[in-house]
Amino acid sequence: MTCHPKCTRMKRFIETTAEKLGEEPSITPTKWWLDTLRPINEKPGCIAVQTEADKDPNDFIKVNEMRLLFNDQAEYYAVCVDCFNAHHDKQWCGSSRSPNWKEKSEEYLKKHFRTKSWCEFCDPVFGNGGWT
């Protein structure tokens, strides 16, 4: 599926249905999409993502540089540099203990950047709005 009839660029996310994925339809209006850049190794197909009905995941903003923003050792977010700079002074307010937290969090950031590349705070599709 391409962006529009005259475009040859492929969309990363292709719309599907909850039924095709074996999911129950949502009570709130949502859409399901297959992420063509994240194939499933065990069987043919791709990782599925769910969005609000009025959002197209192909509109996500790919971030070229990311940082980890910590709430505590067990809760952290992969964010863009702007969100990191806006929120870095609010980090580490929790008290969770997590063995190997530094290695786990660094691996999370690497994997998030490699497979998703969107800011978990400000992205218009996948962002959670950040800390208010």
Side-chain angles (χ1 to χ4, degrees):
M1 179 176 288
T2 57
C3 303
H4 54 78
K6 293 184 180 180
C7 180
T8 57
R9 184 172 55 97
M10 297 296 289
K11 287 187 175 186
R12 174 176 173 172
F13 296 91
I14 300 171
E15 191 172 354
T16 187
T17 64
E19 293 77 21
K20 285 182 182 176
L21 297 170
E23 296 286 337
E24 292 290 323
S26 177
I27 296 170
T28 59
T30 63
K31 289 184 180 176
W32 283 92
W33 307 79
L34 297 175
D35 185 347
T36 62
L37 291 185
R38 291 192 288 163
I40 297 172
N41 295 332
E42 299 84 41
K43 58 183 176 181
C46 299
I47 297 230
V49 297
Q50 186 178 21
T51 65
E52 296 173 15
D54 62 341
K55 296 194 177 188
D56 181 342
N58 291 296
D59 294 334
F60 87 97
I61 298 170
K62 183 176 171 60
V63 178
N64 293 321
E65 188 176 348
M66 304 189 93
R67 303 276 190 278
L68 280 173
L69 196 60
F70 288 88
N71 195 42
D72 63 25
Q73 289 182 353
E75 183 182 353
Y76 39 83
Y77 302 91
V79 299
C80 66
V81 174
D82 288 342
C83 284
F84 179 84
N85 290 334
H87 298 283
H88 74 277
D89 59 338
K90 300 173 191 143
Q91 292 187 91
W92 211 268
C93 59
S95 61
S96 297
R97 299 280 185 240
S98 179
N100 303 322
W101 66 270
K102 188 169 174 98
E103 294 84 6
K104 288 179 184 178
S105 62
E106 288 173 357
E107 182 57 35
Y108 175 82
L109 179 64
K110 287 177 189 174
K111 183 178 180 185
H112 183 87
F113 185 72
R114 185 178 68 249
T115 62
K116 298 177 182 175
S117 298
W118 53 74
C119 176
E120 292 185 301
F121 273 21
C122 72
D123 187 80
V125 179
F126 298 110
N128 64 16
W131 296 331
T132 55

